Amino acid sequence: MNYPEKYLEGIKCFNERQYFECHECLESLWLEVGGIQEIFYQALIQAAVAIYHLERGNFWGAQSLYQESLKKFSKVPDLYMGLQVREFEQDFKKFFTPYLALKKGDFIEISPASFPKIILVIG
């Protein structure tokens, strides 16, 4: 299947931990669609921005967007636009769970190997 170039670019940015750039790529698509596709793009955007906020110490913003992204992912089919959504959700939860109780002023160090990746199923 051919996916929009901005979608693939957004995934590449996510996987390279360029979360703000991922948001920018996917937002242009999100604003043009409706239905499940709109919810899917918004869930990905919120996941990226949640990690972006986490890295910058905005724990309230990170935790809020984390919860919102999971609500949206729950409305998306198991396999959507090449993404195994449930598998990504599990990886995202595993990554984020240790940071859910953080408060302003807490210090964190995130292992580079722990960041979730978006892997598309080809075929």
Side-chain angles (χ1 to χ4, degrees):
M1 170 151 190
N2 290 333
Y3 298 113
E5 187 176 323
K6 285 286 189 182
Y7 175 62
L8 298 175
E9 188 178 330
I11 290 170
K12 181 176 183 278
C13 289
F14 187 98
N15 289 338
E16 291 175 354
R17 296 179 40 207
Q18 298 173 357
Y19 300 111
F20 184 81
E21 292 80 0
C22 171
H23 160 269
E24 292 294 304
C25 288
L26 297 178
E27 186 175 54
S28 62
L29 293 171
W30 167 61
L31 294 172
E32 297 175 0
V33 296
I36 293 296
Q37 197 168 22
E38 177 182 10
I39 293 168
F40 176 71
Y41 285 142
Q42 192 171 21
L44 289 175
I45 291 166
Q46 289 174 331
V49 178
I51 298 171
Y52 178 83
H53 283 308
L54 181 67
E55 288 185 304
R56 282 153 186 76
N58 176 1
F59 303 132
W60 183 88
Q63 293 160 0
S64 175
L65 285 168
Y66 166 78
Q67 297 295 342
E68 288 301 313
S69 70
L70 291 179
K71 285 180 193 172
K72 288 182 179 63
F73 278 126
S74 73
K75 299 175 183 177
V76 178
D78 292 350
L79 176 62
Y80 193 78
M81 290 193 69
L83 178 65
Q84 295 280 358
V85 175
R86 302 293 85 80
E87 190 175 308
F88 177 76
E89 274 181 308
Q90 290 307 313
D91 291 346
F92 187 48
K93 287 177 183 178
K94 181 179 176 185
F95 166 77
F96 222 96
T97 297
Y99 309 113
L100 290 175
L102 292 172
K103 321 181 270 320
K104 188 174 183 171
D106 287 348
F107 174 78
I108 62 168
E109 190 169 331
I110 304 171
S111 165
S114 71
F115 285 89
K117 298 280 188 204
I118 296 174
I119 300 166
L120 298 183
V121 177
I122 307 298

